[in-house]
Amino acid sequence: MGKQRRDVGLRIRYKPTESPSAIDMLQSRASRVFILGLLLVLATLGFYNPIVHNHFIDFDDASYILNNPHVVSGLTWANVKWAFTTSRDGNWHPLTWLSHAFDCQLFGLNPIGHHYMNLLLHVVNGVLLFLLLNRATGFTWGSLLVAALFALHPVNVESVAWAAERKNVLSMLFFLLALHVYDRYTRAPRLPLYLLVIVFYGLGLMAKPQVITLPFVLLLWDYWPARRMAGTGFQGSPPPRSFAYLVLEKLPLLILAAVDSHITMRAQRGGVQSLVDVPVALRLQNAVICYLRYIGEAFWPSHLAPLYPRPLSFPAWQVAGALALLLSVSAVVLHWRERRYLVVGWFWFLGTLIPMIGLITVGEQSMADRYAYISFIGLFVAAVWGLAAIAGKHRIPRVGWAGAALFALVVLGCLTRRQLAYWHDSETLWRYTLSVTEGNYVAHNNLGVALAGQGRANDALLEYRTGNALHRYKPLPLLGLALYELQLGHPEQAMEDCKAVLHDSPDPALQSSAWGELGQAYLGLHQYDQAAASYRTALQLNPKDSGALVGTGLMALRGGQFELAVGQFFSAVKVDSSETNMLLFSHALRLAGREAEADSALAQLQRDSSDLGRAQFEAAQLLKFAGLKPL
């Protein structure tokens, strides 16, 4: 029994058949657990309630939901098939797609429903975590505190307040369900229970591959609190198993993990950074530093941001200091291994972060708050059980440490509520991000997108240029910036960007588009010979480049070659039947003396047009740039 007293929160087993008093104890304990779980739900909903005022964010929400016809159209058999076969946005997560489609089926594009569904999943996850730890350890108050830290910690706001991050809260649901079933399996091993673990694990992987570390977590669970591992048991615990047996037992789960890893890598081929872009040394340095930063966020959650830019290098002293601290903590934990919750909590934190710590680099971020959703549970367990042991050793009154815990939770809840406000809308989010991070070119770019959506074009252009100055855009977004500059009447800047694309990218499609936009920039500067040469080069690379076809048509009109212009505009219309192209085609027909055809094309356009005035303005601008009379 001495071992039980030292290891705070060991599993408590009751035998309800022993006496009526035992039954009464169980009923009283069940009632207490129910009331505490209800309080956890109410506290989480209360602190997160401002989420109902938040909008969609122009940071994957558009691609995942707003501009995704398969999601917007709701749950159909065609969309189910699409969800299981697509790798849109570099992800294979069919259950996540279906959950978004289900939301659209219920709420349409009202953001309140989408956000609140995320919140409800988060609440369920908090309750499941409380019930799991309570049943596995018998330490009700410690289990409640860990669940409350998980539910109210502001680092998890990103996973809840960001509609597109549904995959995080959804995969966590299946992760915890798998752990629940596995805990029952450790008490009474039966094949149906093990098969259910596999099912929940598979469902979790189909929501987000972050749960891929579940087999590793189950091995930790075997060590504590299940105590199935040889040398860790006590009287009344399950028969001990060898480490080799427990690893072999996880083989079906490891196979699932390998299959999902292969699918994920194939889906993310375009987003994975090469070793040239991010060298191995930089990845390792980033991983060591970020482990330390995550620990800092857990205990001092300030300056949280949706994206932390990855530095080009780290000072050697920072890397050495972080590595020394991580190794020191690991050594202390192993030295105190009789306190098994420290071993499990610390290595849960380290192990579950490995897939997201940057060794395989996807995207531009150094780290992300959403990656801590599962990992911080380990730190919370180690901290709560450790503090409880200290309180017991020094006979600290329960009222004292309970009051301190309640105060900490209220502070975290208030910080969570404040963090939610930053996710209110895109402009608020990215302005806040720029205030708490440095050199964040992605935040400048995303703020530009938000401002452009509000019609604040010049403000948006300033953000785009600032982002490009901090970190030159890749060819495709740089080409988009050039087009935006052309639309705002800044041909000189557009010309610089087009030349940069031509220098940086060997892709014929991008080269063609760059030459076409370069021609339009020359056109805006009334440098017609250079414009014509640029358009010809673009068409040599891609004969179906709509912009270059329109440009050569304009040059033909300028040279009085009206029939040639008709042919070029007709080809442009076949590639892109925009109203502007149709107007230019009709205008060329009229100049060529083909009045009836011109009238017919114009009549069709007037019949089908949704915004003829805008098309007339754009066509007039192009003609003006070409030195021609407007329509």
Side-chain angles (χ1 to χ4, degrees), residues 325-579:
L325 182 60
L326 293 174
L327 292 176
S328 298
V329 174
S330 299
V332 169
V333 164
L334 291 174
H335 178 72
W336 288 346
R337 57 186 174 276
E338 72 277 2
R339 301 181 184 276
R340 305 187 189 285
Y341 48 80
L342 293 179
V343 176
V344 170
W346 177 247
F347 288 103
W348 176 310
F349 166 68
L350 294 180
T352 55
L353 265 178
I354 286 177
M356 291 90 70
I357 203 64
L359 299 178
I360 298 175
T361 306
V362 180
E364 301 295 332
Q365 71 276 358
S366 171
M367 55 184 284
D369 293 350
R370 58 189 177 276
Y371 296 159
Y373 197 62
I374 288 177
S375 303
F376 272 17
I377 293 174
L379 289 182
F380 296 155
V381 166
V384 170
W385 259 256
L387 290 173
I390 293 172
K393 180 178 180 180
H394 295 281
R395 301 183 182 276
I396 298 175
R398 178 175 294 182
V399 173
W401 65 262
L406 181 60
F407 175 77
L409 290 176
V410 171
V411 170
L412 289 175
C414 292
L415 291 175
T416 285
R417 198 176 182 92
R418 186 182 69 174
Q419 194 69 21
L420 274 173
Y422 298 135
W423 286 82
H424 179 267
D425 58 76
S426 296
E427 182 180 356
T428 301
L429 179 65
W430 297 115
R431 288 198 184 280
Y432 158 74
T433 303
L434 289 172
S435 72
V436 296
T437 60
E438 296 180 0
N440 199 331
Y441 67 94
V442 177
H444 280 291
N445 180 79
N446 291 349
L447 178 57
V449 172
L451 295 174
Q454 299 172 24
R456 297 159 62 182
N458 289 321
D459 291 339
L461 185 57
L462 177 62
E463 297 299 332
Y464 290 141
R465 287 177 179 167
T466 303
N468 190 40
L470 289 170
H471 181 96
R472 179 176 288 279
Y473 293 148
K474 292 183 178 180
L476 185 57
L478 190 58
L479 204 56
L481 175 59
L483 181 59
Y484 192 67
E485 288 172 330
L486 286 172
Q487 292 169 348
L488 295 180
H490 301 286
E492 295 91 348
Q493 289 83 5
M495 189 178 298
E496 292 179 10
D497 294 335
C498 289
K499 290 179 178 178
V501 172
L502 292 172
H503 178 269
D504 295 342
S505 175
D507 185 348
L510 288 178
Q511 289 255 329
S512 172
S513 298
W515 278 111
E517 290 186 20
L518 188 60
Q520 191 172 342
Y522 281 125
L523 196 66
L525 294 171
H526 307 295
Q527 298 178 16
Y528 301 120
D529 291 341
Q530 293 92 328
S534 298
Y535 289 137
R536 285 194 298 270
T537 304
L539 289 177
Q540 288 172 1
L541 292 167
N542 179 12
K544 294 185 178 181
D545 187 307
S546 173
L549 288 168
V550 168
T552 53
L554 291 170
M555 293 298 96
L557 286 180
R558 180 174 172 78
Q561 300 172 296
F562 300 131
E563 286 296 340
L564 176 59
V566 168
Q568 296 299 96
F569 287 132
F570 179 70
S571 297
V573 167
K574 287 198 298 184
V575 175
D576 176 13
S577 58
S578 69
E579 294 174 1

Side-chain angles (χ1 to χ4, degrees), residues 58-125:
D58 195 3
F59 188 46
D60 286 351
D61 282 0
S63 182
Y64 272 53
I65 304 169
L66 300 175
N67 299 332
N68 189 334
H70 300 283
V71 166
V72 172
S73 57
L75 287 175
T76 65
W77 283 115
N79 289 342
V80 171
K81 180 181 178 181
W82 171 83
F84 278 89
T85 56
T86 186
S87 57
R88 180 180 173 127
D89 295 313
N91 291 294
W92 184 80
H93 47 207
L95 291 190
T96 296
W97 291 127
L98 294 177
S99 73
H100 285 306
F102 178 70
D103 282 1
C104 287
Q105 188 86 29
L106 292 179
F107 315 115
L109 293 179
N110 185 337
I112 295 176
H114 295 258
H115 287 313
Y116 219 81
M117 191 66 77
N118 270 18
L119 174 56
L120 291 178
L121 285 169
H122 181 60
V123 169
V124 171
N125 290 339

Side-chain angles (χ1 to χ4, degrees), residues 219-408:
L219 281 173
L220 291 175
W221 200 264
D222 290 330
Y223 185 73
W224 182 86
R227 290 178 167 269
R228 296 178 70 213
M229 203 169 287
T232 65
F234 59 89
Q235 187 176 3
S237 67
R241 301 287 189 178
S242 69
F243 182 75
Y245 174 90
L246 294 174
V247 171
L248 189 62
E249 182 185 53
K250 312 300 184 293
L251 184 59
L253 301 174
L254 294 171
I255 292 172
L256 261 184
V259 172
D260 187 72
S261 297
H262 175 71
I263 294 173
T264 300
M265 292 302 294
R266 285 181 60 87
Q268 293 186 341
R269 279 177 299 186
V272 176
Q273 301 278 356
S274 70
L275 294 178
V276 175
D277 293 329
V278 186
V280 173
L282 182 59
R283 296 174 191 233
L284 293 173
Q285 292 169 8
N286 182 73
V288 171
I289 293 291
C290 286
Y291 268 122
L292 199 60
R293 291 180 65 187
Y294 278 120
I295 295 172
E297 282 192 350
F299 295 100
W300 192 261
S302 65
H303 291 180
L304 303 178
L307 191 139
Y308 303 94
R310 183 175 56 249
L312 297 177
S313 63
F314 294 94
W317 67 267
Q318 285 188 7
V319 178
L323 183 60
L325 182 60
L326 293 174
L327 292 176
S328 298
V329 174
S330 299
V332 169
V333 164
L334 291 174
H335 178 72
W336 288 346
R337 57 186 174 276
E338 72 277 2
R339 301 181 184 276
R340 305 187 189 285
Y341 48 80
L342 293 179
V343 176
V344 170
W346 177 247
F347 288 103
W348 176 310
F349 166 68
L350 294 180
T352 55
L353 265 178
I354 286 177
M356 291 90 70
I357 203 64
L359 299 178
I360 298 175
T361 306
V362 180
E364 301 295 332
Q365 71 276 358
S366 171
M367 55 184 284
D369 293 350
R370 58 189 177 276
Y371 296 159
Y373 197 62
I374 288 177
S375 303
F376 272 17
I377 293 174
L379 289 182
F380 296 155
V381 166
V384 170
W385 259 256
L387 290 173
I390 293 172
K393 180 178 180 180
H394 295 281
R395 301 183 182 276
I396 298 175
R398 178 175 294 182
V399 173
W401 65 262
L406 181 60
F407 175 77

